[in-house]
């Protein structure tokens, strides 16, 4: 449905700060591009000046409007002709239109003004509308607008802080209905809130269900009204049945009613200026520094801005405006770019916490004409108790000399530096304020002459200080040294002395100037660094020696090739792949040995840890197991004994191991494990891990039970024993890389060496750990005769413990 044209706002809206820039001549030279914040501040300042002019014009607008209405009634003409008559009369009378309008209204007869005729006292003036309620002219304008468009009722919604709406006047609605809808939050989709959010007229629309009196008048038309400083109210009309679209004449009448309401709202006094007498500002006027008195805006609740109530006589506006152009304005309108720099946030924090803020140097930006001017201010702000909630703010630009002095003091403080100057002709000595404290002397200590300074320093440093003094005074040369003061109970305070001569016209030294600097932290840092460097070198040397020892132990215990095992019916190959990090020599080990009973011992193990401890532990376990194997015991019992040896010989370290014993007479492999990964059996072109017998880590328990399995081997079978450096990954369970290895080893291989090379190439391990591998192949030799009818045994689990 078509919407009526919105009622024209009595004041043009401020220019859009995000709109396009006006075109202008191209710059003749390279100039810095203005920042977006600066452009927004300029736009806001221009809009504020325009608003000030419009407010001045609007202050007199109700008078001219009412006078124009009187002339239209008397002359029987339209408003436009009556307005022209008013201007013509004002020109003839040599008066301004506002002055003539005031004269017309004050000379109206009693019948026009509503006063009684005849003698007698003048009737009392009608009471002023209560605070927060619009004047009676608004009620009359609303009623006239409703009658003109055939509406059942009308309501004027005033905009509250935060965007909530309040029904200020509602002819045609009951008090009960007004009470139920006395507060409409901004998020509620009522016609008035929708028109306010859109900034234009809404409707006629309906039926609506959520608004004032919607049950008996569900069709609405809403027109937002504006004051010079933004949205002020929404005019809403209500019908019990859907109305037709307003005709152009009805739209003009509606705009006239809206204009009357807007004028009435604009003409009302600003609460910020209608508080009565201003606060006591004697302290403000007595302040010697420029000062401002700020009132929170709004006055109740959480402030979002501040209004400049007063400035004192010492105040000078940084934008070169007179005081009356600053007082009464909000802080964001008076100093938009400074507020954007953080001034508003700082003052809001002072108001919220009540803690004063003082800064020797605060950087803010102000506008001077069209140019942003950065300024360094000495700044102070505090919240007052009277008037409550007000802020007293003082600022003044710092001079170049002030800045230089502050910079020098800050540099001396940060660098722990102080200066001195001694006139050798007069004996006059000047110390900067921190010199006594820097030397560890009482604050009231008189300056010490350079010639007497060696008597105040540590005996070990006297000669060095005397050398510096003689160089400056007698030889005319600059010199420096570091010394300790004698009076200090602990000689941990180191001071650097730098002295230079000041010659007279004859070239003789007339004065000596220089500096003292506390270098205690630097001295102890250098001392600690030297000690750390020495300790690090010693540690590095020790680590290199331990690494070399571990490497030699490992090389001695792990031969590059296994002993021949053909007499046991086996062929063997071994590989050792060390870690890529040379300092990570591990405890991985392997062993292949022919025992006196023609059986073969096959072992791989992994000692926990790295370095000398792991290497020596590995040597101890390997030699212990080889000696124990000569007893003829099975792998399960051997691991049980080796567990006790691990606890006794290696300081309760832990290790994993696979121990296997091959009997060539029956081609049977007996094997047990101590927390180690299972061997891989390669048979008939496939590879699979063997079942895991029970067995925990070596050194983890006092008397563990190691289960033993046995496997019937066939000619051509290959058994692969390995350590976890071949398959271990941080991001996967061990089963996945183990399956990958089994698939990679499936298929024929030229020989055992090629098979081991393929295993290393297929490794997906990412732990960079040592790796040991043993591959043994069963040769096609005849075993002892097996009893007739006996089946060749395969893998048996669980086997008996030996």
């Amino acid at each position: 449905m078509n919407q009526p044209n919105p009622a024209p706002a009595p004041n043009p809206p401020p220019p859009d700060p995000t709109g396009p820039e006006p075109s202008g001549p191209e710059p003749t030279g390279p100039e810095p591009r203005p920042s977006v914040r600066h452009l927004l501040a300029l736009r806001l300042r221009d809009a504020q000046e325009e608003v000030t002019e419009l407010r001045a014009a609007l202050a007199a607008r109700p008078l001219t409007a009412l006078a124009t209405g009187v002339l239209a009634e008397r002359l029987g003409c339209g408003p436009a002709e009556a307005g022209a008559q008013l201007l013509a009369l004002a020109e003839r009378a040599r008066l301004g239109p506002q002055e003539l309008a005031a004269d017309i209204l004050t000379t109206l007869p009693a019948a026009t003004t509503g006063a009684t005729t005849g003698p007698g006292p003048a009737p009392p003036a009608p009471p002023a509308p209560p605070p927060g309620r619009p004047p009676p002219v608004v009620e009359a304008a609303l009623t006239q607008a409703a009658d003109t468009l055939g509406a059942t009722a009308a309501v004027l919604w005033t905009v509250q802080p935060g965007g909530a709406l309040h029904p200020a006047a509602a002819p045609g609605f009951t008090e009960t209905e007004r009470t139920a809808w006395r507060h409409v939050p901004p998020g509620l989709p009522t016609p008035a809130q929708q028109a306010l959010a859109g900034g234009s007229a809404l409707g006629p629309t309906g039926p609506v269900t959520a608004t004032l009196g919607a049950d008996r008048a569900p069709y609405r038309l809403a027109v937002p009204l504006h004051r010079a400083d933004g949205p002020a109210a929404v005019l809403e009309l209500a019908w019990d049945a859907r109305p037709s679209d307003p005709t152009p004449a009805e739209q003009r009448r509606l705009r006239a009613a809206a204009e009357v309401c807007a004028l009435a709202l604009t003409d009302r006094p600003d609460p910020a200026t209608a508080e009565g007498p201003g606060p006591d500002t004697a302290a403000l006027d007595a302040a010697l520094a420029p000062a401002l008195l700020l009132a929170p805006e709004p006055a109740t609740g959480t402030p979002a801005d501040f209004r400049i109530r007063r400035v004192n006589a010492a105040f000078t506006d940084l934008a070169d405006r007179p005081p009356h152009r600053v007082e009464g304005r909000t802080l964001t309108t008076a100093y938009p770019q400074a507020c954007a720099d953080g001034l508003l946030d700082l003052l809001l924090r002072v108001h919220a916490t009540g803690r004063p803020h003082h800064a020797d140097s605060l950087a803010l930006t102000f506008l001077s004409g069209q140019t942003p001017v950065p300024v360094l201010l000495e700044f102070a702000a505090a919240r007052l108790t009277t008037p409550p909630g007000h802020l007293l703010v003082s600022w003044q630009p710092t001079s170049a000399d002030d800045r230089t002095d502050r910079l020098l003091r800050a540099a001396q403080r940060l660098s722990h530096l102080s200066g001195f100057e001694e006139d050798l002709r007069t004996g006059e000595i000047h110390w900067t304020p921190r010199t006594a404290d820097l030397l560890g002397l009482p604050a009231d200590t008189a300056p010490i002459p350079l010639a007497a300074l060696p008597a105040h320093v540590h005996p070990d440093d006297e000669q060095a200080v005397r050398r510096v003094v003689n160089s400056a005074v007698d030889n005319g040369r600059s010199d420096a040294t570091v010394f300790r003061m004698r009076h200090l109970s602990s000689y941990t305070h180191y001071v650097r002395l730098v002295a230079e001569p000041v010659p007279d016209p004859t070239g003789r030294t007339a004065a000596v100037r220089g500096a003292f600097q506390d270098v205690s932290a630097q001295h102890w840092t250098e001392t600690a660094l030297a000690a750390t460097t020495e300790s690090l070198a010693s540690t590095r040397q020790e680590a290199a020696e331990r690494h070399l020892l571990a490497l030699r132990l490992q090389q001695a215990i792990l031969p590059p090739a296994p002993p021949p095992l053909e007499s046991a019916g086996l062929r063997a190959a071994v590989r050792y792949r060390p870690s890529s990090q040379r300092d990570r020599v591990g405890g991985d080990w392997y062993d292949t040995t022919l025992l006196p009973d023609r059986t073969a011992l096959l072992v791989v193990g992994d000692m926990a840890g790295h370095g000398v401890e792991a290497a020596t532990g590995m040597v101890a376990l390997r030699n212990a197991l080889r000696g124990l194997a000569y007893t003829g015991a099975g792998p399960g019992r051997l691991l049980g004994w080796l567990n006790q040896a691990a606890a006794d010989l290696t300081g309760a370290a832990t290790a994993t191991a696979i121990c296997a014993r091959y009997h060539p007479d029956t081609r049977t492999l007996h094997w047990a494990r101590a927390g180690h990964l299972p061997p891989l059996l390669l048979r008939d072109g496939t590879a699979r891990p063997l079942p895991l017998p029970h067995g925990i880590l070596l050194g983890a328990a006092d008397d563990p039970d190691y289960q033993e399995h046995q496997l019937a081997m066939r000619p051509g079978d290959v058994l692969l024993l390995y350590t976890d450096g071949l398959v271990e990954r941080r991001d996967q369970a061990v089963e996945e890389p183990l399956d990958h290895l089994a698939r990679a080893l499936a298929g024929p291989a030229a020989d055992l060496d090629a098979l081991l090379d393929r295993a290393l190439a297929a490794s997906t391990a990412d732990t960079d750990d040592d790796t040991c591998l043993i591959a043994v192949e069963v040769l096609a030799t005849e075993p002892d005769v097996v009893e007739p009818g006996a089946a060749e045994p395969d893998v048996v689990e669980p086997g008996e413990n030996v």
Side-chain angles (χ1 to χ4, degrees):
M1 185 176 291
N2 295 330
Q3 297 182 356
N5 293 329
N11 302 291
D16 181 9
T18 61
E21 290 289 333
S23 60
E26 293 293 332
T28 58
E31 294 183 0
R33 180 185 179 91
S35 65
V36 174
R37 188 172 62 182
H38 173 52
L39 295 177
L40 291 176
L42 290 177
R43 294 279 183 93
L44 180 59
R45 202 270 308 277
D46 294 341
Q48 291 162 359
E49 293 178 353
E50 184 178 356
V51 165
T52 302
E53 296 175 359
L54 291 174
R55 281 180 172 173
L58 285 173
R61 187 167 181 176
L63 292 176
T64 57
L66 293 176
T68 301
V70 171
L71 289 178
E73 180 186 2
R74 296 295 179 87
L75 300 177
C77 60
E81 185 178 352
Q85 288 288 341
L86 179 64
L87 294 178
L89 290 173
E91 185 177 357
R92 292 174 190 172
R94 298 180 179 273
L95 296 173
Q98 296 85 0
E99 296 174 317
L100 181 61
D103 290 343
I104 292 174
L105 295 177
T106 56
T107 57
L108 289 177
T112 304
T113 60
T116 58
T117 58
R133 298 290 299 273
V137 68
V138 174
E139 295 273 358
L142 290 176
T143 302
Q144 182 179 2
D147 294 342
T148 301
L149 298 182
T152 305
V155 57
L156 179 69
W157 300 96
T158 56
V159 182
Q160 306 298 311
L165 297 179
H166 172 71
F173 291 106
T174 66
E175 190 64 29
T176 302
E177 291 172 329
R178 286 183 55 182
T179 303
W181 288 85
R182 65 181 180 273
H183 181 81
V184 180
L188 198 64
T190 65
Q193 283 287 11
Q194 292 175 355
L196 184 64
S200 60
L202 175 70
T205 184
V208 298
T209 57
T211 190
L212 173 65
D215 53 344
R216 60 186 183 89
Y219 296 91
R220 301 299 168 101
L221 182 143
V223 180
L225 311 179
H226 292 266
R227 292 178 58 172
D229 55 354
V234 180
L235 171 62
E236 183 177 342
L237 301 180
W239 290 267
D240 54 3
R242 180 179 293 277
S244 58
D245 291 344
T247 64
E250 291 173 337
Q251 291 179 4
R252 286 195 298 272
R253 296 190 188 99
L254 180 62
R255 286 198 298 270
E259 185 172 312
V260 170
C261 293
L263 285 173
L265 291 172
T266 303
D267 195 41
R268 299 182 67 194
D270 191 344
T273 60
E275 298 176 355
D280 181 12
T281 56
L284 180 70
D285 294 330
L288 297 178
L292 308 88
L293 181 66
L294 305 181
E297 186 80 11
T300 59
T302 302
D305 200 350
F306 295 94
R307 190 172 296 277
I308 303 174
R309 296 294 306 280
R310 285 284 308 277
V311 297
N312 66 354
F315 177 79
T316 300
D317 179 47
L318 297 173
D320 298 326
R321 291 169 294 191
H324 71 272
R325 293 286 304 278
V326 176
E327 291 178 338
R329 305 183 69 176
T330 60
L331 194 68
T332 53
T333 59
Y335 302 105
Q337 194 141 353
C339 289
D341 281 349
L343 175 62
L344 179 60
D345 292 337
L346 174 61
L347 295 178
L348 289 174
R349 196 158 54 244
V350 172
H351 183 275
T353 62
R355 291 193 296 269
H357 180 85
H358 182 271
D360 288 338
S361 186
L362 180 67
L364 293 175
T365 304
F366 296 87
L367 291 177
S368 178
Q370 302 290 324
T371 306
V373 179
V375 181
L376 288 177
L377 300 173
E378 186 174 0
F379 180 89
R383 192 176 71 184
L384 303 178
T385 56
T386 305
H390 285 53
L391 296 185
L392 181 62
V393 178
S394 176
W395 69 46
Q396 61 181 352
T398 58
S399 65
D401 291 341
D402 292 340
R403 272 178 266 170
T404 302
D405 290 343
R406 268 197 295 272
L407 182 61
L408 182 58
R409 289 197 298 270
Q412 291 176 345
R413 174 177 52 82
L414 294 174
S415 61
H416 305 285
L417 190 69
S418 66
F420 69 88
E421 184 178 73
E422 180 177 350
D423 191 329
L424 300 179
R425 298 165 301 179
T426 63
E428 186 178 4
I429 305 173
H430 292 283
W431 278 2
T432 55
R434 296 188 65 252
T435 305
D437 179 64
L438 187 146
L439 295 176
L441 300 172
D444 57 352
T445 301
I448 300 173
L450 282 178
L453 184 61
H456 293 270
V457 304
H458 189 274
D460 294 344
D461 301 330
E462 288 184 21
Q463 191 62 34
V465 173
R466 191 171 286 111
R467 171 180 54 80
V468 172
V469 174
N470 292 337
S471 295
V473 175
D474 299 331
N475 301 325
R477 293 197 309 265
S478 299
D479 203 349
T481 190
V482 175
F483 65 89
R484 293 160 291 175
M485 294 296 288
R486 180 188 297 270
H487 71 280
L488 297 177
S489 58
S490 175
Y491 294 107
T492 60
H493 192 71
Y494 287 81
V495 178
R496 178 179 177 82
L497 166 65
V498 180
E500 68 172 9
V502 180
D504 61 12
T506 64
R508 300 180 60 183
T509 302
V512 178
R513 67 165 63 101
F516 297 107
Q517 184 178 18
D518 185 350
V519 294
S520 302
Q522 177 183 348
H523 173 81
W524 288 112
T525 300
E526 293 174 353
T527 303
L529 181 59
T532 302
T533 303
E534 182 178 355
S535 175
L536 183 61
S538 175
T539 302
R540 188 183 295 113
Q541 178 66 23
E542 181 182 353
E545 293 174 355
R546 292 171 61 87
H547 170 73
L548 182 60
L549 174 61
L551 190 60
R552 288 178 177 173
L553 283 173
Q554 192 180 59
Q555 292 171 348
I557 202 68
L558 299 177
L565 301 178
E566 284 76 6
S567 60
L570 297 175
R571 181 184 295 114
V574 298
R575 285 288 188 278
Y576 172 70
R577 181 180 67 182
S579 169
S580 62
Q581 302 181 30
R582 293 182 54 84
D583 59 343
R584 286 177 58 86
V585 175
D588 292 32
W589 53 283
Y590 59 85
D591 196 9
T592 56
T593 305
L594 276 174
L595 298 176
D597 58 356
R598 293 183 57 244
T599 60
L601 179 69
L602 309 173
V603 183
V604 293
D606 185 3
M607 192 75 184
H610 297 85
V612 175
E613 292 79 5
T616 54
M618 172 264 290
V619 172
L621 291 182
R622 182 179 182 275
N623 292 337
L625 183 59
R626 175 175 284 194
L628 292 171
Y630 277 78
T631 64
R637 178 164 295 180
L638 288 177
L639 289 182
W641 291 339
L642 192 63
N643 176 74
Q644 186 61 42
D648 294 341
L649 300 178
T650 62
T654 58
T656 66
I658 287 282
C659 180
R661 192 164 193 157
Y662 179 73
H663 298 265
D665 297 339
T666 59
R667 292 199 185 103
T668 304
L669 182 77
H670 294 261
W671 66 288
R673 61 181 283 270
H676 206 87
L677 296 173
L680 285 179
L681 175 65
L682 283 70
R683 174 180 289 175
D684 299 331
T686 62
R688 62 185 178 90
L690 296 181
L692 288 173
H694 174 72
I696 65 173
L697 292 169
L698 297 173
D702 292 337
D703 190 17
D705 181 26
Y706 292 100
Q707 195 176 42
E708 187 178 300
H709 282 186
Q710 63 183 16
L711 170 67
M713 304 290 288
R714 304 172 186 173
D717 284 355
V718 176
L719 188 70
L720 180 67
L721 308 177
Y722 54 91
T723 56
D724 58 1
L726 184 67
V727 294
E728 188 176 34
R729 289 188 60 86
R730 297 182 180 89
D731 58 346
Q732 292 180 359
V734 71
E735 289 79 10
E736 297 181 37
L738 190 58
D739 291 343
H740 172 78
L741 178 65
R743 291 192 300 270
L745 296 182
D751 54 25
L752 293 181
D753 290 325
L755 179 70
L756 292 180
D757 292 339
R758 190 197 303 173
L760 291 173
S763 173
T764 60
D766 63 355
T767 57
D768 195 25
D769 201 358
D770 294 6
T771 303
C772 285
L773 298 94
I774 296 178
V776 292
E777 180 183 7
V778 179
L779 301 178
T781 57
E782 290 295 331
D784 289 350
V785 177
V786 181
E787 295 182 3
E792 184 180 352
D794 201 345
V795 178
V796 178
E797 54 173 306
E800 294 182 358
N801 293 335
V802 180

